Amino acid sequence: MKEQEILDALATYVEHKMSGEGSGHDWWHIVRVRNMAEKLAKTEGADPFICQVAALVHDLADDKLVADEVLALREVRRLLVEKGMSRDQVEQVMLIIQQMSYKGGTQNHLVLSLEGQVVQDADRLDALGAIGIARTMAYSGNKNRIIHDPKLPIRQEMSLSEYRSNQGSAIAHFYEKLLKLKDLMNTKTAKEMAQGRHDFLERYLQEFYDEWDAKR
Ligand code: ADP
Ligand code: NI
């Protein structure tokens, strides 16, 4: 199959699998990450095909979305082979999707391929700005977490299970993850875009606290 046909076939599969997901990891998250990855691939000189494939499948084996991560990874590999990707391409994509997840910062030491850096940046940009705020609120509601509790301590260093636990609020997540992302971007293009989205988060928090304190 030609690259475009592989992308179309994968998109159809992933759309079917992820639509209706209610925690902000739905099909449209995948579409945004794919589009951003394609854009970043162009400016950064990465392979646009590998970037788009990895973007399309990056959440299929996410440990918080699937019951059995190892099994889900095996299924993704089978899917990529079935759609006609070469052995080398499949390995590139499998490595990317296993290494790119934030997981509370526990994977920050890993060094990704250029394509992995691009897809990770695209995924992280979707956690910032207006969209990032919407996803965080949606995720919190989905997990029964409250919007804000001024008494709640902000967790700085966390293990993966602490990070995934239900303690904490939507606003706490800004400090536990979102505000850290701008300094974790890999590529120049994403760093620039992250700065704008980061500034928007800061402005949002300021407005939020002002309203919270009945200042405006
Ligand atoms: P990854 O899948 O890269 O490990 P996460 O699961 O931490 O990343 O986050 C994906 C998005 O889901 C976040 O950007 C955020 O919008 C939302 N999210 C994840 N964990 C939380 C949380 N504890 N509270 C609120 N939102 C969260
Ligand atoms: Ni994602």
Side-chain angles (χ1 to χ4, degrees):
M1 273 202 270
K2 288 210 213 63
E3 290 187 346
Q4 190 56 50
E5 288 172 46
I6 296 177
L7 287 168
D8 292 345
L10 287 173
T12 303
Y13 176 91
V14 177
E15 177 173 14
H16 177 74
K17 193 108 180 166
M18 320 257 322
S19 52
E21 207 282 332
S23 73
H25 295 84
D26 57 289
W27 165 242
W28 294 108
H29 163 64
I30 306 298
V31 172
R32 291 190 303 270
V33 174
R34 177 189 174 177
N35 291 341
M36 182 64 76
E38 190 184 12
K39 174 184 163 123
L40 295 178
K42 272 198 197 110
T43 56
E44 300 293 329
D47 181 335
F49 175 67
I50 294 295
C51 290
Q52 288 182 80
V53 170
L56 279 169
V57 301
H58 85 274
D59 271 339
L60 287 181
D62 189 309
D63 70 293
K64 67 188 170 310
L65 304 177
V66 299
D68 187 338
E69 196 179 351
V70 178
L71 190 74
L73 282 169
R74 216 177 293 153
E75 269 176 41
V76 174
R77 183 187 295 274
R78 190 189 47 72
L79 175 74
L80 299 180
V81 173
E82 179 195 295
K83 298 300 175 207
M85 290 177 67
S86 74
R87 212 192 164 87
D88 174 60
Q89 288 174 325
V90 173
E91 291 320 314
Q92 284 186 58
V93 172
M94 293 309 294
L95 196 62
I96 292 172
I97 65 169
Q98 289 171 83
Q99 293 187 336
M100 64 178 274
S101 178
Y102 184 69
K103 297 194 169 163
T106 52
Q107 303 224 92
N108 284 354
H109 61 284
L110 297 175
V111 182
L112 282 78
S113 64
L114 177 60
E115 285 70 25
Q117 294 181 23
V118 159
V119 184
Q120 185 179 59
D121 281 355
D123 193 30
R124 287 177 169 175
L125 281 168
D126 209 53
L128 293 176
I131 301 241
I133 295 170
R135 292 180 69 217
T136 298
M137 295 303 166
Y139 186 97
S140 288
N142 182 276
K143 301 287 175 212
N144 279 320
R145 297 174 58 154
I146 62 171
I147 297 172
H148 179 47
D149 176 354
K151 293 212 177 82
L152 214 69
I154 302 295
R155 301 169 297 180
Q156 281 303 339
E157 298 294 319
M158 291 161 287
S159 69
L160 183 55
S161 64
E162 282 167 342
Y163 176 65
R164 293 278 190 246
S165 78
N166 275 355
Q167 311 218 309
S169 65
I171 291 295
H173 191 66
F174 282 62
Y175 300 94
E176 292 172 358
K177 176 183 176 189
L178 310 189
L179 293 169
K180 295 179 180 173
L181 292 178
K182 127 180 118 55
D183 293 329
L184 293 172
M185 293 292 159
N186 306 295
T187 65
K188 185 170 169 287
T189 319
K191 277 181 189 151
E192 288 162 9
M193 296 186 78
Q195 186 64 55
R197 294 183 183 209
H198 179 93
D199 294 345
F200 185 79
L201 293 184
E202 299 270 22
R203 292 208 303 281
Y204 174 83
L205 284 173
Q206 192 51 57
E207 174 77 20
F208 185 96
Y209 293 130
D210 284 350
E211 291 179 11
W212 190 273
D213 294 332
K215 284 189 188 151
R216 48 187 288 149

